[in-house]
């Protein structure tokens, strides 16, 4: 008995359709590309329920002749390839002749089309690959294709579709790319009876970028015009100050086709090297014009990946074109300062003395005490002593308030151990000198071990403590990050917020935008109040209190990228990641200048809270024994 069977035509068509039609966005991509190849100047896309139940694509292109309507739905039927030689220089977006046949095999399709000069058009219906109706109908020049009930006859495929909003955003991303790839075509997108995109179609790429991404994104762009070794480059790149935390806003096009090219991506980022902060990547909308014979687009079912005969000209054109644009367009930021009436370097004027009629007798004032030694909060913990070498050093922004540091009675400070800094005493606290009062002495904790001593700070990053016969090195960023992280976790979703004086608008890629809108409760639990501003833009109205004036837009972009890439819906994991992100951004950074008082307070809190690791798992401190140090100097063997 034969084990090899020839598949039924219908089954074979369903299998073949799976390679072309993966989701509603695949259908829209194929139909819109057909409209572009037909010479349309205006394309309207309308969907409902994420495109699963209804999709309609209308164009004013050349239309389909009555005799070709039924043939167009046959597999491998196309008007774009006539011979083998045509495959060596493909200039159209479609060329395989599989799209209409694959769509018709898994949906209910209705076609209305008319060519120029015809008195009547054609109406054609096909369900599941079976023709239903073909008749004359009145319609305007062009083609309207309606797709209903996608995967109605393949329930196994239907269950793999995602939520309506996810599928709709995937379609929106496809429409965005179409509008950017052909700015000469007016593209209109209607989503559940609401228009979300309407590009002008005036042939200007900047107009299309503005329609797709909005004012904020467009304002941070630099134009690119360059040609090298037969590769013509045009479009826009982001200014270094407008860089993004991920590559979702990098768009490359070759001969009007959206592609993903590692060669172009590496060339772009190499050109920006030295101009961006660590962890940032540039955004772009770049069109590359290249000979059709030099690129092969028939290497992947989605036709997004391409292969170059020689990648070096493409790399060189992108690299040098972007470098040139950066040199010309990235002007340094001009900062304007308000003129101060009195410079901080000027000597203060002598105060004006006012004489009163009957001045009271002046009592002797006790001299201000010296800077005290800071003991530990807990009785058993050691105290810190340090020398203030520079009272005017700038400090980092932390939450180490005076309430976190406890002082003992004033301790006399000698020249041998530390400098003396006068303390400012409020007038109301001044008391008459009492000669009979005993001099205050140092307060020693009971059963206290040898006190810790703040030696200083290395590289503006590592706090150095002397503790008995040990040296303790503390990573101040890691320690502070862990403290902030634990504080956020302790609030259990009730993070303290600060309202922004002016909301921050953040433009996101469509899938990232959908991820944020689906996780507003998670963002709110972490302290972010975010509203929908439409067309891929969100408004940030409040941020966590500990975040301060950090890069709010960059933070939200990074959060959006994580939420979009997260494959599970576990709220606890997402919230924990947000706590990590906020704590890392708000913590004092390595290299920041810190005062000795802040270093001591940070070391004290780390010891009291028993902090050992940062939220990323890195150690907060390391210890070096005295004997190990002496062994390095040859003092002991």
């Amino acid at each position: 008995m034969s084990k090899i069977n020839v598949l039924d035509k219908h089954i074979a068509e369903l299998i073949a359709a799976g390679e072309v039609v993966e989701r509603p966005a695949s259908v829209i991509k194929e139909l819109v590309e057909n409209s572009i190849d037909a010479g349309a100047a205006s394309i309207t896309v309308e969907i409902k329920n994420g495109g699963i139940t209804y999709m309609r694509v209308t164009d004013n292109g050349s239309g389909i002749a009555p005799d070709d309507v039924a043939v167009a739905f046959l597999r491998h039927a196309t008007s774009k390839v006539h011979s083998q030689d045509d495959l060596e220089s493909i200039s159209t977006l479609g060329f395989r002749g599989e799209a209409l046949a694959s769509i018709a095999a898994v949906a209910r399709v209705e076609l209305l089309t008319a060519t120029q000069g015809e008195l009547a058009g054609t109406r054609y219906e096909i369900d599941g690959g079976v023709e239903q109706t073909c008749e004359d109908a009145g319609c305007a020049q062009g083609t309207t294709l309606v797709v209903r009930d996608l995967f109605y006859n393949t329930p196994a495929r239907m269950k793999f579709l995602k939520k309506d909003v996810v599928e709709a955003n995937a379609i929106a991303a496809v429409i965005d790319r179409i509008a950017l790839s052909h700015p000469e075509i007016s593209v209109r997108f209607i989503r559940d009876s609401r228009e979300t995109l309407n590009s002008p179609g005036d042939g200007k790429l900047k107009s299309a970028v503005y329609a797709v991404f909005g004012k904020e994104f467009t304002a941070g762009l630099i134009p690119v015009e360059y040609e090298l070794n037969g590769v013509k480059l045009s479009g826009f790149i982001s200014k270094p100050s407008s860089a993004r935390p991920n590559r979702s806003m990098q768009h490359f096009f070759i001969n009007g086709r959206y592609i993903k090219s590692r060669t172009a991506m590496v060339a772009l980022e190499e050109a920006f090297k030295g101009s961006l902060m660590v962890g940032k990547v540039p955004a772009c909308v770049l069109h590359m014009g290249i000979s059709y014979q030099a690129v092969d687009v028939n290497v992947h079912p989605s036709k997004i990946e391409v292969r170059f005969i020689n990648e070096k000209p493409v790399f060189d054109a992108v690299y040098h074109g972007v470098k040139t644009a950066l040199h010309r367009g990235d002007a340094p930021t001009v900062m304007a300062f308000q003129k101060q009436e009195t410079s901080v370097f000027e000597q203060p004027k002598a105060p004006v003395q006012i004489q009163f009629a009957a001045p009271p007798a002046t009592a002797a004032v006790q001299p201000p005490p010296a800077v005290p030694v800071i003991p530990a909060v807990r009785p058993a913990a050691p105290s810190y002593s340090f020398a203030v070498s520079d009272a005017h050093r700038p400090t980092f922004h932390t939450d180490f308030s005076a309430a976190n540091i406890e002082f003992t009675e004033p301790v006399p400070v000698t020249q041998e151990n530390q400098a003396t800094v006068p303390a400012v005493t409020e007038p109301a606290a001044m008391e008459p000198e009492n000669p009979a009062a005993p001099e205050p002495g140092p307060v020693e904790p009971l059963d206290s071990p040898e006190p810790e001593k703040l030696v200083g700070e290395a590289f503006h990053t590592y706090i150095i403590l002397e503790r008995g016969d040990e040296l303790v090195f503390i990573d101040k960023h890691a320690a502070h990050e862990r403290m902030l992280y634990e504080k956020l976790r302790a609030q259990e979703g009730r993070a303290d917020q600060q309202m922004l004086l002016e909301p921050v608008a953040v433009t996101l890629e469509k899938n990232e935008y959908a991820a944020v809108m689906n996780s507003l409760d998670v963002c709110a639990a972490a302290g972010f109040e975010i509203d929908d501003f439409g067309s891929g833009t969100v408004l940030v109205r409040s941020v966590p209190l500990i975040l301060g004036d950090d890069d709010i837009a960059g933070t939200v972009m990074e959060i959006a990228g994580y939420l979009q890439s997260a494959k599970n819906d576990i709220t606890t994991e997402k919230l924990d990641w947000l706590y990590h992100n906020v704590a890392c951004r708000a913590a004092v950074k390595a290299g920041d200048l810190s005062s000795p008082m802040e270093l001591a307070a940070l070391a004290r809190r780390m010891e009291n809270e028993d902090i050992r690791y940062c939220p990323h798992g890195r150690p907060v401190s390391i210890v070096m024994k005295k004997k190990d140090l002496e062994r390095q100097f040859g003092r002991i063997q």
Side-chain angles (χ1 to χ4, degrees):
M1 181 179 177
S2 176
K3 296 183 179 180
I4 301 176
N5 301 318
V6 178
L7 292 176
D8 179 80
K9 177 184 177 183
H10 179 64
I11 298 177
E13 287 180 347
L14 292 178
I15 295 174
E19 298 179 359
V20 179
V21 182
E22 180 184 359
R23 60 194 305 187
S26 306
V27 175
I28 294 297
K29 176 180 178 294
E30 296 292 343
L31 296 182
V32 172
E33 287 182 352
N34 282 344
S35 297
I36 294 173
D37 290 337
S42 175
I43 301 174
T44 300
V45 178
E46 183 179 359
I47 66 169
K48 295 179 181 178
N49 305 117
I52 298 173
T53 60
Y54 183 86
M55 291 178 281
R56 181 173 66 182
V57 177
T58 304
D59 66 63
N60 61 351
S62 59
I64 304 174
D67 295 339
D68 292 333
V69 170
V71 179
F73 285 87
L74 298 179
R75 193 164 298 278
H76 306 305
T78 180
S79 61
K80 302 160 189 176
V81 176
H82 299 87
S83 66
Q84 180 179 342
D85 296 337
D86 294 338
L87 294 176
E88 297 179 2
S89 58
I90 298 174
S91 60
T92 55
L93 297 177
F95 52 86
R96 293 177 181 152
E98 296 179 330
L100 291 180
S102 297
I103 295 169
V106 293
R108 310 181 196 275
V109 179
E110 178 184 359
L111 172 72
L112 282 170
T113 184
T115 58
Q116 185 177 8
E118 284 188 345
L119 297 178
T122 303
R123 179 176 177 270
Y124 183 80
E125 289 186 6
I126 180 170
D127 293 352
V130 179
E131 180 181 322
Q132 302 294 323
T133 305
C134 184
E135 59 186 9
D136 292 342
C139 60
Q141 176 186 336
T143 302
T144 297
L145 220 154
V146 181
V147 179
R148 295 183 176 90
D149 304 328
L150 185 64
F151 299 137
Y152 79 98
N153 55 352
T154 53
R157 297 292 304 278
M158 173 71 77
K159 67 181 182 181
F160 284 99
L161 293 178
K162 296 180 171 57
K163 297 178 182 178
D164 291 355
V165 65
V166 177
E167 297 296 344
N169 279 291
I171 294 175
V174 170
I175 300 301
D176 288 349
R177 295 165 187 166
I178 292 296
L180 296 174
S181 64
H182 290 80
E184 74 281 2
I185 299 177
S186 176
V187 180
R188 186 172 176 232
F189 181 42
I190 302 173
R191 175 174 170 175
D192 294 322
S193 303
R194 186 169 66 92
E195 182 180 275
T196 60
L197 174 66
N198 192 349
S199 65
D202 57 1
K204 298 177 182 179
L205 180 57
K206 192 168 187 178
S207 299
V209 173
Y210 188 96
V212 172
F213 296 127
K215 177 182 177 181
E216 297 293 334
F217 181 83
T218 309
L221 297 179
I222 299 173
V224 179
E225 285 291 339
Y226 196 78
E227 187 170 0
L228 180 67
N229 297 330
V231 180
K232 185 177 181 182
L233 188 70
S234 63
F236 296 92
I237 56 175
S238 64
K239 297 178 181 178
S241 58
S242 302
R244 317 281 293 193
N246 55 53
R247 298 182 177 91
S248 63
M249 298 295 275
Q250 291 182 357
H251 298 83
F252 296 97
F253 304 90
I254 286 187
N255 299 331
R257 182 191 303 275
Y258 172 77
I259 64 159
K260 291 182 178 179
S261 170
R262 179 165 179 79
T263 301
M265 181 195 72
V266 172
L268 172 72
E269 296 182 11
E270 283 292 321
F272 268 85
K273 187 168 288 186
S275 301
L276 293 179
M277 295 177 59
V278 176
K280 297 286 188 177
V281 294
C284 71
V285 179
L286 289 177
H287 284 252
M288 291 175 278
I290 189 172
S291 171
Y292 294 118
Q293 289 80 13
V295 58
D296 185 6
V297 299
N298 191 21
V299 296
H300 193 272
S302 65
K303 295 177 283 190
I304 291 179
E305 298 180 8
V306 298
R307 184 184 295 121
F308 300 104
I309 293 178
N310 185 3
E311 294 185 350
K312 190 175 186 306
V314 176
F315 182 94
D316 291 344
V318 174
Y319 178 83
H320 293 292
V322 172
K323 272 286 189 186
T324 302
L326 278 175
H327 179 71
R328 294 175 178 174
D330 186 27
T333 303
V334 178
M335 300 182 66
F337 297 92
Q338 293 183 354
K339 185 177 180 180
Q340 301 291 334
E341 295 182 359
T342 303
S343 172
V344 295
F345 300 103
E346 294 178 357
Q347 292 292 337
K349 298 180 180 179
V352 178
Q353 296 183 356
I354 303 176
Q355 296 294 333
F356 295 91
T362 304
V365 180
Q366 181 180 358
V371 173
V373 175
I374 307 176
V377 175
R378 297 178 298 183
S383 60
Y384 296 85
S385 63
F386 55 86
V388 181
S389 58
D390 187 356
H392 299 288
R393 293 179 64 190
T395 60
F396 55 74
H397 177 73
T398 69
D399 59 351
F400 302 138
S401 61
N404 294 330
I405 305 175
E406 296 184 4
F407 295 87
T408 61
E409 294 295 327
V411 179
V413 181
T414 64
Q415 190 174 2
E416 297 177 356
N417 55 17
Q418 60 185 5
T420 301
V421 180
V424 179
T425 306
E426 295 294 336
M430 296 182 180
E431 298 291 341
E433 185 177 2
N434 186 4
E439 290 292 332
V443 178
E444 293 290 341
L446 298 177
D447 301 327
S448 173
E450 188 173 349
E452 289 182 342
K453 177 183 177 182
L454 177 65
V455 177
E457 183 182 16
F459 313 117
H460 300 304
T461 301
Y462 304 103
I463 305 171
I464 306 176
L465 298 178
E466 181 183 327
R467 183 174 61 196
D469 63 346
E470 298 176 341
L471 281 180
V472 182
F473 296 85
I474 301 173
D475 185 333
K476 67 181 183 182
H477 169 75
H480 193 202
E481 180 183 1
R482 185 72 190 196
M483 294 173 189
L484 297 179
Y485 169 73
E486 294 296 342
K487 180 179 179 181
L488 289 172
R489 287 188 60 188
Q491 292 173 348
E492 297 181 354
R494 302 182 305 274
D496 295 332
Q497 293 179 318
Q498 60 176 348
M499 184 72 69
L500 301 178
L501 293 178
E502 182 178 352
V504 177
V506 183
T507 302
L508 304 171
E509 191 267 339
K510 289 299 187 293
N511 291 319
E512 295 177 348
Y513 165 76
V516 171
M517 298 310 299
N518 290 334
S519 304
L520 291 179
D521 55 339
V522 177
C523 296
F528 293 89
E529 182 184 346
I530 299 176
D531 289 340
D532 184 8
F533 198 57
S535 300
T537 302
V538 297
L539 279 182
V540 184
R541 300 189 181 277
S542 298
V543 296
L545 185 62
I546 65 172
L547 194 60
D549 296 329
D550 200 41
D551 181 13
I552 296 174
T555 303
V556 174
M557 291 177 195
E558 189 172 344
I559 291 173
Y562 168 78
L563 294 175
Q564 192 272 329
S565 61
K567 301 301 181 183
N568 52 53
D569 292 326
I570 302 177
T571 302
T572 304
E573 291 184 6
K574 293 180 179 179
L575 193 57
D576 198 61
W577 184 92
L578 289 180
Y579 290 159
H580 283 190
N581 184 276
V582 173
C584 185
R585 286 180 171 270
V588 57
K589 305 298 187 294
D592 287 352
L593 297 180
S594 310
S595 70
M597 186 74 72
E598 289 171 323
L599 297 178
L602 181 58
R604 167 105 36 73
R605 285 189 58 186
M606 192 204 78
E607 185 71 18
N608 293 342
E609 298 177 17
D610 193 22
I611 294 175
R612 301 179 183 180
Y613 299 95
C614 80
H616 303 289
R618 294 191 295 108
V620 169
S621 63
I622 60 174
V623 176
M624 175 183 288
K625 297 287 187 181
K626 179 181 178 182
K627 62 181 181 180
D628 294 332
L629 184 62
E630 292 183 337
R631 187 177 290 113
Q632 294 296 324
F633 283 99
R635 288 181 173 270
I636 61 175
Q637 299 298 325

